[in-house]
Amino acid sequence: MCGVSFLVAQIGKPHGLRGEVTVRLHTDDPQGRFAPGSVLRADGPGAPPQLTVRSARVHRETWLLAFDEAPDRSAAESLRGVRLSAEAEVSDDDGWYEDELVGLRVLDPAGAEIGEVSGLAIGAAQDRLVIRLADGAGAEVPLVAALVPVIDLDRGIVVVDAPPGLLELNRED
């Protein structure tokens, strides 16, 4: 399968007057991902569908990016919170991309419906599967084999073996 996108950064606040923004990295190859001329998919309210990297640099251990589509500070401010994704070839490794998981049915080990995957929350220590529960509320489950023993893309399912109370503890109404 080709053309799967994965999160590489999330835009933070503007920096300076020339359209630079801070970013929270979700990639281990920022030099490659943010090379001038790179085109990234942009996902967020009011964001253009894609952004073209004009420049990238590190300032006091923080990555700063500028985009052709945001030439000044006010345009950069409108990008706050936008998630930046890149295209990648999918291999048969142990990783999962958010685009592969969103929409999969979530079942418990007995096969009862829990809900549907609505996203992937990237964490510093571990990622979390974001689930829209059957009653419409949201919950997050750490994406570890002990709690998520099965991800079957062909069958369109994820099995979550949550200990009692975990889904209620992480519930977002």
Side-chain angles (χ1 to χ4, degrees):
M1 182 183 344
C2 300
V4 172
S5 63
F6 61 96
L7 182 66
V8 293
Q10 184 165 5
I11 296 176
K13 64 183 180 177
H15 178 85
L17 301 174
R18 295 188 181 130
E20 287 184 310
V21 294
T22 62
V23 293
R24 180 174 177 212
L25 296 181
H26 295 285
T27 180
D28 59 357
D29 181 21
Q31 292 88 356
R33 296 287 175 214
F34 306 137
S38 297
V39 177
L40 301 169
R41 189 176 94 188
D43 183 27
Q50 61 186 29
L51 292 168
T52 306
V53 177
R54 182 175 74 230
S55 68
R57 66 186 179 101
V58 178
H59 175 70
R60 296 185 181 172
E61 299 181 15
T62 300
W63 275 88
L64 300 175
L65 302 181
F67 303 100
D68 290 343
E69 296 81 0
D72 57 31
R73 185 178 180 92
S74 63
E77 178 64 45
S78 71
L79 298 176
R80 188 184 295 242
V82 168
R83 293 165 52 115
L84 300 173
S85 302
E87 297 292 316
E89 293 290 321
V90 177
S91 63
D92 292 333
D93 62 12
D94 291 332
W96 306 104
Y97 295 110
E98 184 174 29
D99 287 358
E100 293 177 296
L101 300 172
V102 171
L104 297 181
R105 292 177 35 231
V106 179
L107 309 174
D108 70 14
E113 190 91 18
I114 294 175
E116 179 178 284
V117 177
S118 61
L120 184 63
I122 307 299
Q126 66 189 27
D127 298 341
R128 296 171 314 282
L129 201 58
V130 180
I131 301 169
R132 184 175 36 256
L133 301 172
D135 66 3
E140 293 185 3
V141 174
L143 188 53
V144 295
L147 299 176
V148 185
V150 176
I151 297 177
D152 188 331
L153 300 178
D154 293 332
R155 292 179 37 217
I157 64 163
V158 173
V159 175
V160 171
D161 190 5
L166 179 69
L167 294 176
E168 291 75 21
L169 177 67
N170 292 313
R171 188 179 176 91
E172 297 172 2
D173 290 315

